[in-house]
Amino acid sequence: MNLKEAELLFQAGALEVPVIKQHDAGEGWTVTLAGRHKLNPVLETARGQVRIFKRLDAAVGVLFETGFSEARIAR
């Protein structure tokens, strides 16, 4: 799902607490947005590829801008 879809689902109350995970070999961070939807739960770029954040604070910042007030960090 892309960021716009995530914003709409968040406003509809269809998303759970986001989970931020380290990407392969520590080369960045990915965001998973599970909930009541049938979309791919991983946050994607506009072109449909997995969005990889270089820094953890950038991933958290995007989630907070979307409206989330909390996020979980997983290894």
Side-chain angles (χ1 to χ4, degrees):
M1 106 181 43
N2 62 38
L3 191 56
K4 187 63 176 173
E5 292 167 334
E7 289 173 355
L8 292 172
L9 288 170
F10 173 80
Q11 292 171 359
L15 294 176
E16 299 172 0
V17 175
V19 177
I20 303 172
K21 298 179 184 178
Q22 244 185 342
H23 190 62
D24 298 333
E27 295 180 9
W29 302 87
T30 58
V31 176
T32 303
L33 299 166
R36 299 181 316 257
H37 59 82
K38 294 184 180 184
L39 299 172
N40 182 358
V42 178
L43 194 59
E44 299 173 338
T45 64
R47 295 185 178 180
Q49 297 178 352
V50 175
R51 184 166 181 183
I52 301 171
F53 296 90
K54 290 184 180 182
R55 297 185 340 252
L56 177 60
D57 62 331
V60 172
V62 166
L63 292 173
F64 285 176
E65 287 175 11
T66 303
F68 289 98
S69 60
E70 64 180 303
R72 288 185 289 175
I73 311 295
R75 289 187 178 224

